[in-house]
Amino acid sequence: MQFLQLLISGIAQGCIYGLIALGFVLIYKATETVSFAQGELMMLGAFVGLACMSLLGFPFWLAVLSAIAGMALFGMFLERLVIRPILGQPAFSIVMLTIGVGYTARGLITMIPGIGTETYVLPVPYKDQIWSLGALVINVEQVAIIGSTAILSLVLFALFKYSKLGIAMQASSQNQLAAYYMGIPVKRLNGLVWGLAAAVAAIAGLLLAPITFVHANMGFIGLKAFPAAVVGGFSSLPGAIVGGLVIGLVESFSGFYLPDGFKDVAAYVMVLIMLMVKPNGLFGEKLRKKYERFAGQTKNGAAILLCPQLIKYALHLQNRLRARHQACQTPRPCVLVRRVLLLLLAAPWLFAEYWLAQLTFVLIYAIAGLGLMLLAGFTGLFSLGHAAFLGVGAYTQAVLTNAGLPFPVALACAAGLSAAVGLVVGLPALRVKGIYLGMATLAFGFIVEEIFARWESVTGGNAGIHIKAPDMFGWKLASGEAFYFLCLLITVVATLGILNLLRSPTGRAFVAIRDSEISAQSMGIHLARYKTLSFALSAALAGVAGALYAHKLQFISPDQFNILQSIDLLLMIVIGGVGSVHGAFLGAIFLISMPQVIALTKDYLPVVIGQAPGLQAAVYGMVLIAFVLFEPLGLYGRWLKIRTYLQLFPFYRKGLFKRQKSFQKSDRLK
């Protein structure tokens, strides 16, 4: 009977994963990317249903229908307002945009006074009801989940199989350009797909709410739906349900038969196995590119349309422009770098101890940003678990320093072990890319976090571990000024190393792989070698940053290297400017200074807003959305535009940095 109990529990949980994964698959088939806001849409659906019952007094079934209809409208509104303006841009942009939407939704819900930080019970008519079949006890809530999933699956099957709307959606998902030529309103269908995905997420939230209750963080369960979509295949609707069932059953049985901790990582172990054995999933369709469009692709992944005649004419008049507008010319990069470096050297005498500590954190995050920039910005490889490399470096540094090793030896070991781990993590990049590679790194991040929490004899578990002050062959670097200069030295060395690497044949090979793997391979570039090398170098820099991070805090614990930290690192390079060394520093300044700016402005905001716990997450999300929509080149891109405007004035044209869109799936053959 225990086996049947676990079987039913796993199927019910798997149905929830499958429903959320359905939303992933629907959006992936429509836009060739994944929505990281699907979990938050599920959370919003549960809150809407709760509000309809508790505040408006709706009966249960009317509240359910209202929540589904409301979330469907919200999904279409979201697609029209946020997603549609950047369709045709690199998938990375849409992924970051949906991450920003998720941050914003979770933050705004948390900011609601008296509601966002509480946990609520959704009043359902079958609450706490059970069916007893001998020794087998079945919860009616589980029966409702399984039955609702089966009915919804049949409805979606009939929709896509027999209705004109469903057939048009299938045609659009297979080839949007051909569907457009046949008179199918592709943009309108994309809006309907997002509305359908949001409605499915609302159903999942309403079914899950009686079990886990309604709260602002319930959307994090959407991270468990990613393994379901990977196992089933991102291009298959039935595969989403099957993948959800597989993940649910694996979690149910591993939690009972295996030691503690395996249940939390079992789904991600399944992801890594599936990506290595069958990257397209159980039911995924294998697609091959007919050709790649890389004309006009810039180093940051965003397409730019330049005007050759304008540039040629501007160069012809360069001397005259310099003479006439010398007052508005910006300093040369080398001069500006020297001035910044002199300012950094004088920082201990210019800033108070607190601001010097914040500047130290900027340098540490800049090193981590340089590593992630090398991987994502210059090699084009997507990583969602980069905080795990910081953790490997931090724990290695802590263990070896506490064992008595000198700081340089411990730092070299931290970088070396992180590079070795990065080399292993880079192996999936040999078979998968894009969002599948992101899923592999996401799985790796969760597994490493669980190892940190469970390996108590080495890491101290969830209680954390303290670390001594750095010791440079007998010279203690305990003061804030000494440690700041150490971080500054390492940052300068890392920056010079990255700049020289990018000018070398290895760096040019990285950029060639980013722009077009097919073209790079045709030029004789060994893809496997350079991809794994990029992962190793990126992980090594992250390990160095993690080691310095551990010394600065003097205490580390597993929750400091979770998925939110990885997303913060991605947010840092996106806002700073993907594909530029400057962007790593500008993004680090933003990441460290934004909490200070929010804290300083709280007193000038209404109390309801200023004291809300979700204010920082909401601001981060809205800033990320604004940058992806209006300034995809980041802060460094905005600086380039200002400098170019001053240099070319009065010949500057608005179209100089225009983004170029491309049709999706129009270049694919089955």
Side-chain angles (χ1 to χ4, degrees):
M1 286 300 176
Q2 185 66 47
F3 179 84
L4 291 177
Q5 200 78 50
L6 294 172
L7 181 66
I8 294 175
S9 177
I11 292 175
Q13 188 65 31
C15 287
I16 295 295
Y17 295 153
L19 288 176
I20 303 174
L22 274 177
F24 292 147
V25 172
L26 286 169
I27 293 173
Y28 181 81
K29 290 171 73 67
T31 61
E32 291 189 278
T33 189
V34 174
S35 169
F36 276 75
Q38 198 66 13
E40 279 66 31
L41 293 179
M42 179 194 71
M43 176 266 296
L44 290 176
F47 267 103
V48 171
L50 177 67
C52 289
M53 283 185 275
S54 302
L55 301 180
L56 301 180
F58 286 3
F60 173 73
W61 295 110
L62 181 58
V64 169
L65 294 177
S66 300
I68 295 173
M71 288 306 300
L73 292 175
F74 178 77
M76 289 187 286
F77 172 77
L78 181 67
E79 188 276 338
R80 182 65 185 88
L81 184 65
V82 178
I83 305 299
R84 189 177 298 182
I86 66 166
L87 283 180
Q89 302 304 324
F92 180 76
S93 299
I94 303 181
V95 167
M96 295 307 300
L97 187 63
T98 57
I99 289 176
V101 170
Y103 261 66
T104 304
R106 188 167 61 253
L108 292 178
I109 287 293
T110 309
M111 289 175 64
I112 300 177
I115 296 178
T117 58
E118 301 296 331
T119 300
Y120 301 92
V121 178
L122 187 68
V124 295
Y126 49 82
K127 180 66 177 176
D128 296 329
Q129 295 182 14
I130 59 173
W131 292 348
S132 298
L133 301 176
L136 180 64
V137 178
I138 303 176
N139 196 320
V140 177
E141 295 168 354
Q142 296 176 338
V143 176
I145 291 174
I146 297 173
S148 300
T149 303
I151 294 173
L152 181 61
S153 300
L154 292 175
V155 170
L156 290 177
F157 172 79
L159 172 67
F160 285 98
K161 184 69 174 179
Y162 300 109
S163 70
K164 292 183 178 180
L165 177 62
I167 295 173
M169 287 182 176
Q170 289 191 69
S172 177
S173 68
Q174 292 174 7
N175 192 315
Q176 290 196 355
L177 184 58
Y180 177 78
Y181 286 155
M182 295 299 295
I184 296 176
V186 174
K187 292 183 178 180
R188 194 182 309 166
L189 284 179
N190 284 341
L192 292 175
V193 167
W194 276 82
L196 181 59
V200 172
I203 295 174
L206 294 170
L207 292 173
L208 182 65
I211 299 177
T212 63
F213 307 113
V214 181
H215 53 89
N217 292 324
M218 67 182 297
F220 283 114
I221 197 174
L223 296 174
K224 287 292 185 70
F226 281 116
V230 172
V231 171
F234 267 106
S235 59
S236 172
L237 292 174
I241 299 297
V242 174
L245 294 176
V246 170
I247 297 300
L249 291 172
V250 168
E251 280 194 350
S252 179
F253 285 104
S254 62
F256 184 80
Y257 291 107
L258 297 179
D260 293 340
F262 280 87
K263 178 181 178 180
D264 296 327
V265 299
Y268 302 105
V269 173
M270 284 285 298
V271 167
L272 294 179
I273 295 174
M274 183 60 65
L275 289 176
M276 295 300 295
V277 177
K278 191 174 175 56
N280 298 292
L282 296 174
F283 298 91
E285 298 174 348
K286 188 174 182 180
L287 301 176
R288 60 184 178 89
K289 291 260 186 161
K290 182 179 180 182
Y291 60 88
E292 292 186 352
R293 298 187 180 191
F294 56 91
Q297 194 78 3
T298 64
K299 60 184 179 181
N300 65 350
I304 293 181
L305 184 61
L306 297 178
C307 304
Q309 296 83 0
L310 176 62
I311 299 298
K312 184 177 180 180
Y313 188 58
L315 292 175
H316 177 69
L317 298 178
Q318 183 178 13
N319 293 330
R320 293 172 58 188
L321 287 172
R322 184 183 293 113
R324 292 175 55 190
H325 304 284
Q326 187 174 5
C328 65
Q329 292 294 309
T330 58
R332 284 188 246 179
C334 58
V335 176
L336 186 61
V337 169
R338 290 197 199 103
R339 293 176 181 176
V340 172
L341 188 57
L342 288 175
L343 179 62
L344 291 175
L345 288 172
W349 295 276
L350 298 177
F351 300 112
E353 183 179 356
Y354 173 79
W355 295 109
L356 185 65
Q358 298 303 307
L359 187 56
T360 304
F361 278 117
V362 168
L363 297 176
I364 294 172
Y365 273 93
I367 297 173
L370 287 172
L372 186 55
M373 192 73 75
L374 177 65
L375 183 68
F378 294 109
T379 317
L381 300 177
F382 190 31
S383 175
L384 283 171
H386 219 68
F389 299 123
L390 267 76
V392 172
Y395 276 103
T396 303
Q397 186 76 14
V399 172
L400 296 181
T401 300
N402 292 340
L405 268 69
F407 173 80
V409 178
L411 184 65
C413 293
L417 182 58
S418 298
V421 174
L423 194 66
V424 174
V425 175
L427 293 178
L430 307 182
R431 301 203 61 187
V432 296
K433 58 183 178 180
I435 192 61
Y436 284 97
L437 180 59
M439 293 300 102
T441 55
L442 177 67
F444 163 75
F446 277 106
I447 293 172
V448 170
E449 182 185 354
E450 192 65 26
I451 291 175
F452 291 156
R454 298 292 175 178
W455 200 1
E456 296 182 358
S457 60
V458 176
T459 65
N462 290 316
I465 184 174
H466 291 272
I467 181 173
K468 300 177 182 178
D471 183 359
M472 187 80 74
F473 300 107
W475 179 31
K476 292 285 186 181
L477 302 176
S479 66
E481 293 82 1
F483 188 73
Y484 165 77
F485 281 117
L486 174 64
C487 293
L488 179 60
L489 174 63
I490 296 176
T491 304
V492 171
V493 172
T495 304
L496 293 176
I498 289 293
L499 291 174
N500 282 280
L501 176 67
L502 294 175
R503 286 194 291 264
S504 69
T506 300
R508 296 180 187 277
F510 290 158
V511 175
I513 293 173
R514 179 202 64 194
D515 290 342
S516 172
E517 290 189 10
I518 294 177
S519 300
Q521 195 170 20
S522 66
M523 295 297 293
I525 295 176
H526 196 287
L527 298 183
R529 179 188 307 163
Y530 285 104
K531 282 185 177 182
T532 52
L533 179 60
S534 178
F535 258 104
L537 294 176
S538 177
L541 284 173
V544 171
L548 297 175
Y549 182 78
H551 278 299
K552 181 59 182 174
L553 293 179
Q554 298 183 352
F555 173 82
I556 53 175
S557 60
D559 58 357
Q560 294 172 329
F561 310 104
N562 55 19
I563 178 63
L564 295 179
Q565 180 74 285
S566 297
I567 292 177
D568 283 345
L569 293 176
L570 282 173
L571 181 145
M572 179 177 69
I573 67 169
V574 169
I575 291 180
V578 180
S580 65
V581 174
H582 306 76
F585 290 90
L586 294 174
I589 294 172
F590 169 84
L591 192 65
I592 299 301
S593 63
M594 184 55 68
Q596 314 302 324
V597 173
I598 294 175
L600 291 174
T601 56
K602 279 184 176 181
D603 297 335
Y604 302 97
L605 297 174
V607 177
V608 176
I609 299 177
Q611 302 302 321
L615 177 62
Q616 182 171 322
V619 171
Y620 274 25
M622 288 186 284
V623 170
L624 181 57
I625 292 172
F627 268 94
V628 174
L629 286 178
F630 304 111
E631 190 48 85
L633 303 180
L635 292 172
Y636 183 63
R638 176 52 56 181
W639 158 249
L640 286 179
K641 291 179 180 179
I642 295 174
R643 188 179 69 179
T644 305
Y645 176 82
L646 295 176
Q647 290 176 341
L648 299 182
F649 183 82
F651 303 104
Y652 182 87
R653 295 294 182 268
K654 292 179 62 177
L656 191 64
F657 288 90
K658 182 180 180 181
R659 290 191 293 182
Q660 178 178 316
K661 295 185 178 182
S662 61
F663 288 99
Q664 297 151 355
K665 289 194 176 178
S666 59
D667 57 342
R668 293 195 172 195
L669 297 175
K670 287 189 176 180

